[in-house]
Amino acid sequence: MSGPRLLVIMGSGETAPTMVTPHRETVARFGATSPRAVLLDTPYGFQENAAEISQRAVDYFAQRVQLAIDVAGFPGPLAADPRERSAQPSAATLARLRAADFVFSGPGSPTYALSTWRGSPVPEALADKLAHGGVVVFASAAAVTVGRFALPVYEVYKVGQPIHWLDGLDLLSPHGFGADCVVIPHFDNAEGGTHDTRFCYMGERRLQALEEMLPADAWVLGVDEHTALVVDLDAREVTVTGRAGVTVRRRGAMERFAAGARVPVASLVAAARGAVQGGAAAPGPAGVPQDPGAGEPPPRRSPLLGEVTRFEQAFAGALTDRRATEAAEAILALDRTILEWSADTLQSDEPDRARAVLHSLVHRLGEAAAVGLRDPKELLAPLVERLIVLRAELRAERAFQLADRLRDRLTAAGIELHDTPDGTTWTLRE
């Protein structure tokens, strides 16, 4: 197999609008030839909506990345469909995997994926692809499996099991990352709000305890949400792309590479191993060192909810200024955004929250329409201005009683006249 040798690790958003560009750039590395692509469906194979997740991913790559991708068809021994349950990949699945130039895997359970792949030909096929030619894109749950050790995320965060490590696929050690690298996606997660969910929901307290359980030379490779670390195995360099950054961490000491950074693999590893000794900061974009104290970026809001807030604010501003067309356009733009995110395999309530905001905006527009959005002063202006002219004529004819009665009637209707040296103006009381 020929072509680029790339390992792409995504922190999250693998089928979101935010990661279209990294996917397209990866596919572009194949030149004019469209790569044979396969979706490794094991991590979520046990879920009841596994077929839906696969179809959404297939549609995303076809429509947004212009890449046809086939489903590998290895959901594992707990497949939602009993007819698909198997502890080993079928001959057809293995053939698709071995022939693929581009292998993608994403959401689900890293524990389930590892337990299913262990003892199967899948790890060997992935390692062979990285060694001899091909692209492996692992995101979210699948990204957890890449290192020497792997986090049992849900078992610790949701089930309450004691902290522990699993054996990972160890796809990095043959390519200059050292023997004990650990990959943690969702590194800057902020879903917890009132509690710390950084570091793939572990938080600082748990991560410190987990680090104590690792070998002395081990280090953490943290990939922020909606961010990708592209490892070029031929050039032996890494590039950070997406909306945030990548962090190397060892025993609590961290150094960060912002989006746009492009450095040799050796520099990334040296930053991780030097950080604990207070060494030089990891270089940022264009090789510019970053502030050593900037290793822990502030929590970021999810891109989808950020867009929701932006359109909600645009709607509110338009409504305040009585611009009905702009208010309606904000609603339509939010609807288009939700549609764009519909292919995302995001396992959270964010899409529901976005739709709830959309529904509330429609309701608010309806309420505003019931009382009218057009400025009432604009509607009354032709009549009031003619009455002002009539009042001026009455005063010129010294019919002051009639002029005053006209002013009083206008005042009673909420229209106040103001006589000035330059003429009469008027305001409308709320």
Side-chain angles (χ1 to χ4, degrees), residues 9-56:
I9 304 171
M10 292 185 172
S12 78
E14 55 272 12
T15 53
T18 51
M19 301 309 285
V20 169
T21 296
H23 281 306
R24 288 180 177 175
E25 290 174 347
T26 299
V27 172
R29 298 285 288 268
F30 288 91
T33 303
S34 182
R36 291 167 293 183
V38 66
L39 164 63
L40 188 52
D41 53 336
T42 313
Y44 58 85
F46 64 96
Q47 297 181 204
E48 287 297 320
N49 63 339
E52 178 189 344
I53 294 175
S54 292
Q55 189 58 53
R56 285 160 65 186

Side-chain angles (χ1 to χ4, degrees), residues 69-393:
I69 189 167
D70 295 323
V71 180
F74 185 33
L78 300 180
D81 187 341
R83 296 168 297 182
E84 298 178 351
R85 292 176 180 172
S86 175
Q88 291 291 327
S90 66
T93 294
L94 196 55
R96 281 191 286 270
L97 186 59
R98 289 192 179 280
D101 307 303
F102 180 105
V103 178
F104 168 77
S105 193
S109 165
T111 303
Y112 178 74
L114 287 169
S115 64
T116 301
W117 290 336
R118 191 171 292 115
S120 81
V122 170
E124 180 185 353
L126 295 171
D128 184 71
K129 204 166 299 295
L130 294 175
H132 300 107
V135 171
V136 174
V137 181
F138 268 27
S140 298
V144 174
T145 72
V146 168
R148 168 65 184 85
F149 301 99
L151 276 175
V153 181
Y154 294 107
E155 287 78 4
V156 174
Y157 181 61
K158 293 290 189 181
V159 180
Q161 290 185 8
I163 58 170
H164 61 286
W165 291 100
L166 303 171
D167 287 330
L169 297 178
D170 195 20
L171 297 179
L172 292 170
S173 63
H175 304 289
F177 283 77
D180 295 310
C181 177
V182 173
V183 174
I184 299 183
H186 298 280
F187 202 72
D188 62 344
N189 181 273
E191 287 180 30
T194 58
H195 66 282
D196 188 3
T197 53
R198 292 172 300 160
F199 320 134
C200 204
Y201 306 95
M202 292 298 101
E204 179 65 33
R205 181 179 61 84
R206 281 197 181 109
L207 183 56
Q208 285 184 4
L210 283 161
E211 285 179 311
E212 293 298 323
M213 301 170 67
L214 291 171
D217 205 33
W219 58 282
V220 170
L221 175 61
V223 185
D224 288 343
E225 296 186 324
H226 301 276
T227 304
L229 178 72
V230 181
V231 184
D232 187 324
L233 301 177
D234 289 317
R236 300 184 73 80
E237 67 178 16
V238 298
T239 303
V240 182
T241 183
R243 70 185 290 265
V246 167
T247 301
V248 294
R249 169 173 170 140
R250 184 164 175 244
R251 304 294 180 183
M254 298 188 288
E255 301 291 350
R256 188 166 184 268
F257 293 75
R262 183 176 180 178
V263 298
V265 170
S267 296
L268 191 78
V269 177
R273 290 180 173 164
V276 75
Q277 300 169 357
V288 178
Q290 293 187 301
D291 179 1
E296 188 175 304
R300 297 170 178 266
R301 196 172 193 186
S302 81
L304 174 56
L305 295 184
E307 288 291 277
V308 170
T309 299
R310 184 167 70 87
F311 290 125
E312 187 175 18
Q313 292 172 345
F315 173 87
L319 211 60
T320 299
D321 295 337
R322 301 179 181 278
R323 299 191 302 270
T325 301
E326 293 181 22
E329 180 52 42
I331 291 175
L332 294 173
L334 177 55
D335 182 61
R336 288 192 295 269
T337 298
I338 293 173
L339 180 62
E340 288 177 353
W341 280 81
S342 62
D344 188 23
T345 49
L346 185 71
Q347 303 289 300
S348 79
D349 64 347
E350 289 183 8
D352 292 334
R353 292 163 65 183
R355 281 188 288 270
V357 172
L358 175 67
H359 296 164
S360 73
L361 298 189
V362 173
H363 182 73
R364 288 170 62 185
L365 186 60
E367 287 183 332
V371 298
L373 270 175
R374 190 172 178 184
D375 189 345
K377 188 173 180 179
E378 181 183 334
L379 291 171
L380 293 171
L383 174 62
V384 174
E385 288 168 2
R386 282 167 175 76
L387 291 175
I388 288 175
V389 171
L390 174 60
R391 176 172 174 266
E393 292 173 351

